[in-house]
């Protein structure tokens, strides 16, 4: 059925379940989260076990890989990353996934190689990462402790998300542009691709290829499987081949083939084009017109045995088997099942029977009517699709008033409005129903609110409408966010909140998003292009202790630190430590904190271990007030008004003059052709190019500005650029201050409350500093600076450049120092599960 291969002598040791019984082994049905189809080298399909040569799907949350035409046969066996009101529990078992391990993978128990690049082999727990042979993993204790990263993982039983109407991509905040076309289109594509993958149209004259549909749903969608059978074939042989094509291992006697006219075939010879059977009337009918497509149907039964699964987990049994006949209703089934579960004293009205379809993309639940005949229900399911029957379960569930609460983060609103004003905007633009929608949190400075919605359909309507809504020429954005139950988080657990900028570092950001979702709980990984850092900080606002990992360039780090500063007072853990995975061009802050000059494909697991072992250090942050005295151009009614003061935060450095001018030229080049700026090497090449264009360019910056340090005027030497540095790395790792000792100044530190002021005489001087041949001209050191600009001058703060109009620039320390994580020098501790 599933192409599993084994030596004859090894058969007695085979522990791997076949794809046809996989649905019956699912403990808690959880749908997969499929991104768009892609090409995956050296990976194997979990359903048919063949290599993925053509485009295939992978789950964004677990290690499932599957062909486009096998996706319908994968069942809901993804990792359970949150509680959704169905089958919730606090103890977590290993979540095993077979194969697609590296060929060097070793079994945790027998220490022998368990991975392979040739076949699907070896088992891996998708929470703790433990590896084992198929024969060895059965001896592992079922409870999972989350392995080496246990203190960083947000435990799934602490996360609650009611997600009935939302796709998995929405639940895990995976970008819309990751999505494929609509599901129906996928399914149709899958069927046509499938028709050519397994069986090419037979050229053998003794064989013939047939289209097989598994029910009315497949006919409607034109989804078929191809089988190749001899031209003279018994009915049983064709039925067996058809069942195998649909991964069904039932007795073939229980099934029959029908043509589209619903005429059941009575002849033993399904296909007979040979002249040998000319004397048979039926044979001659087929000889004249062979139907090209068949439907496989289940024969009606007078009675059968069904499995009923208890939806509470402390019963001590997985399911109970029950014989039902043509008179059995849902109510009689409940009545017979309760004594078997030790609940005979309880009232029947307190229970309901739920039909659950465990599809790979969605788990569908339907409460059955008490008077419905069970055999009729089974007949209807099989008529729709015998494949779906294989993926359907019945659960007995206790009636309880379920509380629906969907949290929706809505950003892009006008800032600094009141709770009432935000509610009115939402009523006006989104027509929200205030009886089921309330504004639970307001972030005025950022122009964002969190909506609490107690109706699934209203939550879905608002989510879809927000995407097309514009307020004050600014598009709104919506993010589904989970509720974190802080009281359930273990005491020694300090979850890691991960922010990834997928636009940084070429396509590395995308790969890291995928890797971190796999290694951690995907609910703790946030994509910064989808609502910014605020949804992440809001989700973690009640967590007593957490750390942050920012994957991006220095600009991304500044963005996250700025958001943290603004929201700090609303966090229970108001001073989380921040680690950096440098994905940008310069990565100066990453260099200073020992995270390296830039990410170049290191193993994401070892990065997380390094974050766990990193040392906590403090770093100064600075506020820059830019107060332009010249009026803004194009003032209305002839009344001249100066620009309002602008406040920006600084972490690394602030440059005036030639340094900022090069940044500005680079910025303009990137805006003109953003597609070209996706590699660190190319970006640095453009910097060199704009620098060479300015090599003969002279300015007398010292004549255009005045500098005051700690209330004292400072005379400037003849320079072209003035730079204020907070960290000992500038322009991709250059030491601008220099290492020579100087009695006039203290040795710089990132937490000393002082900024160093350095001058450069031009592009050549900057090049010499970059090459390590010279350092800058030391001018001053202090904690409060006032710069007076006498004419418009280019200014850049942490790589963000602009032209600043004449006026005042005041630089002073910003609030409390920020906690950063510095990579530990000591070798990583030995990892254990």
């Amino acid at each position: 059925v599933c192409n599993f291969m084994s030596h004859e002598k090894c058969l007695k040791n085979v522990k791997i379940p076949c794809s046809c019984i996989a649905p019956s082994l699912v403990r808690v049905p959880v749908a997969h989260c499929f991104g768009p189809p892609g090409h995956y080298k050296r990976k194997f399909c979990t359903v048919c076990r063949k290599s993925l040569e053509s485009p295939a799907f992978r789950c964004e949350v677990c290690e499932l890989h599957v062909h486009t035409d096998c996706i319908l046969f994968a069942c809901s066996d993804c990792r359970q990353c949150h509680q959704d009101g169905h089958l919730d529990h606090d103890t977590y078992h290993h979540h095993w996934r077979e194969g697609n391990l590296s060929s060097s993978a070793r079994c945790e128990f027998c220490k022998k190689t368990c991975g392979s690049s040739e076949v699907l082999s070896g088992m891996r727990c998708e929470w703790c990462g433990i590896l084992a042979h198929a024969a060895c993993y059965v001896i592992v204790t079922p409870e999972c402790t989350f392995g080496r990263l246990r203190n960083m993982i947000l435990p799934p039983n602490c996360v609650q998300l009611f997600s009935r109407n939302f796709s998995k991509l929405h639940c895990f905040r995976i970008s819309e542009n990751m999505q494929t076309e609509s599901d129906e289109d996928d399914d149709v594509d899958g069927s046509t691709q499938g028709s050519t993958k397994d069986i090419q149209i037979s050229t053998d004259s003794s064989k013939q290829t047939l289209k097989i549909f598994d029910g009315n749903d497949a006919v409607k969608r034109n989804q078929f499987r191809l089988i190749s059978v001899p031209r003279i074939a018994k009915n049983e042989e064709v039925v067996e081949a058809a069942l195998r094509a649909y991964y069904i291992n039932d007795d073939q006697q229980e099934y029959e083939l029908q043509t589209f006219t619903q005429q059941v075939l009575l002849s033993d010879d399904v296909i007979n084009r040979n002249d040998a059977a000319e004397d048979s009337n039926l044979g001659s009918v087929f000889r004249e017109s062979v139907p090209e497509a068949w439907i496989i149907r289940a024969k009606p039964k007078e009675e059968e045995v069904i499995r009923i699964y208890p939806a509470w987990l402390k019963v001590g049994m997985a399911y109970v088997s029950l014989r039902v006949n043509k008179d059995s209703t849902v109510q009689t089934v409940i009545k017979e099942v309760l004594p078997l579960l030790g609940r005979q004293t309880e009232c029947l009205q307190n229970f309901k029977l739920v039909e659950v379809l465990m599809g790979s993309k969605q788990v569908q639940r339907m409460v059955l009517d008490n008077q419905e005949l069970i055999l009729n229900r089974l007949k209807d399911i099989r008529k729709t699709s015998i494949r779906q029957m294989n993926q359907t379960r019945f659960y007995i569930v206790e009636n309880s008033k379920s509380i629906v609460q969907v949290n929706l983060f809505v950003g892009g609103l006008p800032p600094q409005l009141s709770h009432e004003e935000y509610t009115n905007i939402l009523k006006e633009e989104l027509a929200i129903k205030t009886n089921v929608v309330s504004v639970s949190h307001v972030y005025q400075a950022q122009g964002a609110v969190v909506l609490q919605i107690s109706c699934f359909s209203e939550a879905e309507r608002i989510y879809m409408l927000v995407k097309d809504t514009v307020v004050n020429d600014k598009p709104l954005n919506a993010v589904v966010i989970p509720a974190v139950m802080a009281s359930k988080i273990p005491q020694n657990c300090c979850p890691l909140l991960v922010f990834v900028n997928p636009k940084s570092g070429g396509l590395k950001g995308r790969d890291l998003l995928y890797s971190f979702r796999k290694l951690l709980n995907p609910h703790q990984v946030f994509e910064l292009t989808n609502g910014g850092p605020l949804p992440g900080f809001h989700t973690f606002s009640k967590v007593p202790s957490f750390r942050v990992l920012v994957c991006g360039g220095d600009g991304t780090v500044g963005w996250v630190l700025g958001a943290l500063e603004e929201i700090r007072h609303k966090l229970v853990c108001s001073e989380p430590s921040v680690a950096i995975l440098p994905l940008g061009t310069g990565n100066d802050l990453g260099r200073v904190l020992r995270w390296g000059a830039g990410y170049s494909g290191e193993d994401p697991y070892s990065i997380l271990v390094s974050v766990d072992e990193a040392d906590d250090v403090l770093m100064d942050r600075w506020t820059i007030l830019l107060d332009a005295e010249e009026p803004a151009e194009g003032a209305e009614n002839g009344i001249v008004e100066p620009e309002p003061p602008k406040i920006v935060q600084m972490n690394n450095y602030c440059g005036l003059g030639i340094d900022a001018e090069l940044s500005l030229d680079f910025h303009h080049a990137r805006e003109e052709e953003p597609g070209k700026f996706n590699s660190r090497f190319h970006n640095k090449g453009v910097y060199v190019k704009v620098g060479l264009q300015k090599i003969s360019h002279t300015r007398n910056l010292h004549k255009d500005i005045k500098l005051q340090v700690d209330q004292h005027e400072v005379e400037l030497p003849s320079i072209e650029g003035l730079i204020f540095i907070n960290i000992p790395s500038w322009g991709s790792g250059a030491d601008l201050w220099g290492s020579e000792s100087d009695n006039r100044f203290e040795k710089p530190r990132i937490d000393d409350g002082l900024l160093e002021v350095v001058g450069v005489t031009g592009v050549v001087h900057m090049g010499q500093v970059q090459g390590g041949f010279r350092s800058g001209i030391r001018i001053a050191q202090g904690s409060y600076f006032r710069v007076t600009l006498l004419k418009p001058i280019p200014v850049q703060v942490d790589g963000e450049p602009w032209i600043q109009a004449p006026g005042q620039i005041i630089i002073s320390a910003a609030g409390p120092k920020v906690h950063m994580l510095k990579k530990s020098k000591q070798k990583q501790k030995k990892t254990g599960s």
Side-chain angles (χ1 to χ4, degrees):
V1 175
C2 71
N3 304 308
F4 181 82
M5 290 179 288
S6 167
H7 292 109
E8 194 174 346
K9 62 180 181 182
C10 301
L11 273 174
K12 60 179 182 293
N13 296 320
V14 171
K15 308 281 190 206
I16 295 296
C18 176
S19 300
C20 66
I21 64 160
S24 65
L25 302 174
V26 174
R27 197 161 167 268
V28 178
V30 180
H32 291 284
C33 177
F34 293 111
H39 292 273
Y40 304 108
K41 292 178 183 174
R42 295 185 292 281
K43 298 285 183 187
F44 295 87
C45 173
T46 309
V47 175
C48 71
R49 310 183 71 85
K50 294 182 180 177
S51 66
L52 301 178
E53 287 151 4
S54 53
F57 288 101
R58 74 174 180 190
C59 176
E60 295 291 317
V61 175
C62 72
E63 277 293 338
L64 182 98
H65 289 75
V66 66
H67 287 112
T68 49
D69 62 301
C70 293
I71 195 166
L72 294 171
F73 303 97
C75 58
S76 314
D77 63 345
C78 194
R79 283 195 298 165
Q80 187 179 18
C81 299
H82 59 261
Q83 299 200 341
D84 60 357
H86 300 285
L87 310 178
D88 296 337
H89 53 98
D90 286 348
T91 55
Y92 269 77
H93 289 193
H94 288 293
H95 192 274
W96 296 105
R97 178 74 61 207
E98 187 191 3
N100 292 321
L101 308 177
S102 75
S103 47
S104 60
R106 291 195 173 274
C107 175
E108 193 74 25
F109 302 95
C110 66
K111 307 301 179 194
K112 292 178 183 172
T113 304
C114 61
S116 169
S117 57
E118 305 296 323
V119 290
L120 205 60
S121 80
M123 306 294 283
R124 178 180 174 272
C125 170
E126 291 179 323
W127 282 115
C128 67
I130 190 173
L131 304 171
H133 286 105
C136 298
Y137 92 102
V138 289
I139 61 171
V140 183
T141 50
E143 284 78 24
C144 180
T145 58
F146 300 125
R148 171 67 183 84
L149 304 176
R150 69 179 72 86
N151 295 335
M152 309 174 84
I153 290 176
L154 184 63
N157 63 314
C158 305
V159 186
Q160 197 169 49
L161 179 65
F162 298 99
S163 57
R164 193 178 69 188
N165 288 35
F166 291 101
S167 79
K168 283 285 182 173
L169 289 167
H170 294 157
C171 295
F172 295 117
R173 303 164 307 280
I174 296 170
S175 296
E176 294 295 312
N177 58 8
M178 288 278 294
Q179 283 193 58
T180 43
E181 297 303 310
S182 70
D183 283 358
E184 268 189 40
D185 291 347
D186 286 350
D187 293 345
V188 174
D189 288 346
S191 66
T192 48
Q193 285 172 14
S195 61
T196 54
K197 186 196 77 144
D198 280 332
I199 297 168
Q200 301 300 326
I201 301 301
S202 180
T203 52
D204 184 349
S205 59
S206 66
K207 293 211 167 182
Q208 118 152 327
T209 305
L210 295 177
K211 284 184 185 177
I212 301 289
F213 294 91
D214 77 324
N216 298 349
D217 188 54
V219 172
K220 191 171 74 182
R221 293 170 181 257
N222 192 30
Q223 285 177 342
F224 53 85
R225 306 280 284 176
L226 291 183
I227 61 169
S228 183
V229 290
R231 290 193 183 276
I232 303 175
K234 298 287 184 194
N235 197 7
E236 288 80 9
E237 290 174 43
V238 183
V239 170
E240 188 183 350
L243 288 173
R244 199 179 300 130
Y246 279 96
Y247 295 94
I248 290 164
N249 199 31
D250 295 350
D251 183 359
Q252 66 203 36
Q253 300 295 332
E254 295 174 6
Y255 294 87
E256 62 195 6
L257 286 169
Q258 292 181 3
T259 63
F260 276 127
T261 56
Q262 307 301 308
Q263 296 301 312
V264 182
L265 296 171
L266 301 171
S267 164
D268 273 354
D269 284 352
V270 174
I271 312 299
N272 187 347
R273 285 188 173 170
N274 290 3
D275 296 329
E278 275 184 2
D279 54 333
S280 159
N281 289 333
L282 266 166
S284 62
V285 170
F286 285 129
R287 196 173 64 250
E288 295 300 321
S289 56
V290 178
E292 74 166 48
W294 302 83
I295 306 174
I296 186 162
R297 299 281 194 198
K299 292 177 184 174
K301 297 179 183 178
E302 289 296 310
E303 62 173 31
E304 60 181 295
V305 175
I306 62 167
R307 290 175 175 181
I308 307 289
Y309 290 77
W312 55 86
L313 284 150
K314 291 173 186 169
V315 176
M317 60 182 84
Y319 59 84
V320 293
S321 298
L322 201 67
R323 188 172 291 280
V324 292
N325 57 35
K326 61 181 190 305
D327 300 320
S328 301
T329 63
V330 169
Q331 194 161 14
T332 59
V333 166
I334 294 174
K335 191 175 181 180
E336 288 177 48
V337 165
L338 287 177
L340 299 174
L341 297 172
R343 297 285 189 117
Q344 57 270 32
T345 56
E346 305 207 20
C347 177
L348 290 183
Q349 273 63 47
N350 292 344
F351 297 90
K352 59 190 175 190
L353 198 63
V354 180
E355 179 190 306
V356 176
L357 172 59
M358 306 185 298
S360 60
K361 294 181 180 180
Q362 196 180 7
V363 176
Q364 297 172 9
R365 294 177 174 85
M366 185 173 83
V367 179
L368 298 179
D369 183 78
N370 275 350
Q371 301 313 312
E372 185 163 5
L373 293 167
I374 284 290
L375 279 186
N376 284 358
R377 183 68 206 139
L378 296 175
K379 190 177 167 186
D380 288 346
I381 297 168
R382 289 191 177 112
K383 203 178 268 186
T384 304
S385 163
I386 59 168
R387 169 188 60 79
Q388 285 186 14
M389 186 65 230
N390 203 29
Q391 296 177 340
T392 300
R393 275 183 185 180
F394 296 98
Y395 279 89
I396 184 161
V397 179
E398 210 163 357
N399 282 325
S400 59
K401 196 161 191 247
S402 57
I403 301 159
V404 175
Q405 187 183 304
V406 180
N407 295 317
L408 210 57
F409 175 93
V410 179
L413 293 160
Q416 306 301 349
L417 300 183
S418 67
H419 188 289
E420 239 174 83
E421 287 170 311
Y422 283 125
T423 308
N424 290 337
I425 287 176
L426 295 169
K427 276 186 195 170
E428 198 177 302
E429 299 289 342
L430 306 173
I432 62 169
K433 299 170 184 169
T434 46
N435 59 325
V436 289
V437 182
S438 62
V439 177
S440 63
H441 294 81
V442 173
Y443 294 101
Q444 290 174 309
Q446 296 83 5
V449 297
V450 177
L451 302 181
Q452 214 167 66
I453 308 166
S454 57
C455 167
F456 281 125
S457 53
E458 177 68 357
E460 189 181 29
R461 185 190 71 81
I462 292 171
Y463 182 83
M464 300 313 281
L465 193 57
V466 163
K467 292 183 201 171
D468 304 318
T469 305
V470 175
V471 176
N472 293 2
D473 298 328
K474 197 175 171 188
L476 300 187
N477 58 72
V479 182
V480 180
I481 48 176
V484 176
M485 296 173 281
S487 57
K488 283 191 170 186
I489 296 176
Q491 274 191 330
N492 58 348
C493 181
C494 181
L496 185 69
L497 172 58
V498 181
F499 292 112
V500 181
N501 186 348
K503 291 183 177 176
S504 298
L507 296 173
K508 292 194 177 83
R510 281 251 168 266
D511 296 338
L512 284 168
L513 269 169
Y514 174 72
S515 298
F516 288 140
R517 285 194 191 110
K518 291 272 194 296
L519 291 165
L520 303 167
N521 187 329
H523 286 301
Q524 61 192 104
V525 181
F526 287 78
E527 197 173 331
L528 285 168
T529 49
N530 195 1
L534 199 54
F537 284 126
H538 173 80
T539 303
F540 273 58
S541 58
K542 301 281 188 290
V543 177
S545 172
F546 69 94
R547 287 173 155 193
V548 179
L549 172 63
V550 183
C551 308
D554 287 343
T556 304
V557 177
W559 182 18
V560 172
L561 290 177
L564 174 60
E565 191 62 48
E566 288 175 345
I567 199 180
R568 190 190 293 276
H569 61 286
K570 294 192 176 184
L571 302 177
V572 172
C573 174
S574 60
E575 294 184 343
S577 302
V578 180
I580 299 168
L581 182 53
L583 298 182
T585 304
N587 303 317
D588 288 293
L589 188 52
R591 291 168 195 264
V592 169
L593 297 172
R594 292 203 200 107
W595 296 108
Y599 177 70
S600 53
E602 292 86 354
D603 176 27
Y605 174 82
S606 59
I607 289 166
L608 292 177
V609 172
S610 297
V611 171
D612 193 38
E613 295 173 353
D615 303 318
D616 207 327
V617 295
L618 291 171
M619 184 181 82
D620 299 322
R621 291 189 80 228
W622 300 82
T623 300
I624 302 177
L625 175 71
L626 303 137
D627 192 0
E629 287 168 0
E630 288 238 331
E633 289 176 28
E636 290 177 28
N637 307 328
I639 300 166
V640 201
E641 281 191 22
E643 281 183 36
K646 179 176 159 186
I647 295 175
V648 294
Q649 302 292 330
M650 177 190 118
N651 302 307
N652 301 358
Y653 37 72
C654 165
L656 289 80
I658 188 67
D659 165 48
E661 204 169 323
L662 297 188
S663 273
L664 196 62
D665 287 353
F666 173 82
H667 195 68
H668 288 155
R670 185 161 60 177
E671 279 183 343
E672 280 172 26
E673 295 180 289
K676 288 187 177 178
F677 288 75
N678 54 12
S679 88
R680 216 170 278 136
F681 185 75
H682 177 268
N683 294 358
K684 288 181 178 177
V686 174
Y687 262 119
V688 170
K689 186 181 171 186
V690 296
L692 291 172
Q693 289 167 352
K694 303 267 194 252
I695 205 153
S696 59
H697 180 71
T698 53
R699 288 184 64 139
N700 297 314
L701 184 72
H702 58 285
K703 294 177 183 174
D704 301 335
I705 62 173
K706 291 179 181 172
L707 174 66
Q708 205 180 69
V709 180
D710 295 335
Q711 313 295 334
H712 300 294
E713 289 284 344
V714 173
E715 193 177 329
L716 294 172
S718 179
I719 53 171
E720 264 194 72
L722 186 70
I723 302 158
F724 299 82
I725 49 177
N726 184 42
I727 60 171
S729 176
W730 165 86
S732 302
D735 185 2
L736 196 56
W737 183 258
S739 53
E740 303 86 33
S741 55
D742 190 332
N743 296 332
R744 296 175 299 159
F745 306 112
E746 291 180 34
K747 190 179 178 184
R749 292 200 328 271
I750 62 170
D751 63 342
D752 57 3
L754 300 172
L755 276 183
E756 287 68 50
V757 187
V758 184
V760 289
T761 58
V763 173
V764 175
H765 186 183
M766 286 167 69
Q768 290 168 330
V769 172
Q770 292 277 1
F773 306 118
R774 279 179 75 181
S775 51
I777 302 164
R778 295 180 183 178
I779 293 171
Q781 194 178 40
S783 58
Y784 183 85
F785 307 85
R786 181 187 289 269
V787 183
T788 308
L789 306 188
L790 305 175
K791 58 193 282 191
I793 281 171
V795 172
Q796 68 105 345
V797 175
D798 291 344
E800 293 299 315
W802 68 92
I803 299 283
Q804 180 63 25
Q808 304 283 326
I809 298 179
I810 295 169
I811 305 175
S812 58
K817 298 178 195 294
V818 65
H819 289 255
M820 302 300 291
L821 287 169
K822 190 172 188 175
K823 191 174 181 180
S824 176
K825 266 185 180 173
Q826 67 189 48
K827 206 175 176 188
Q828 287 179 8
K829 296 166 195 166
K830 196 173 179 185
T831 60
S833 291

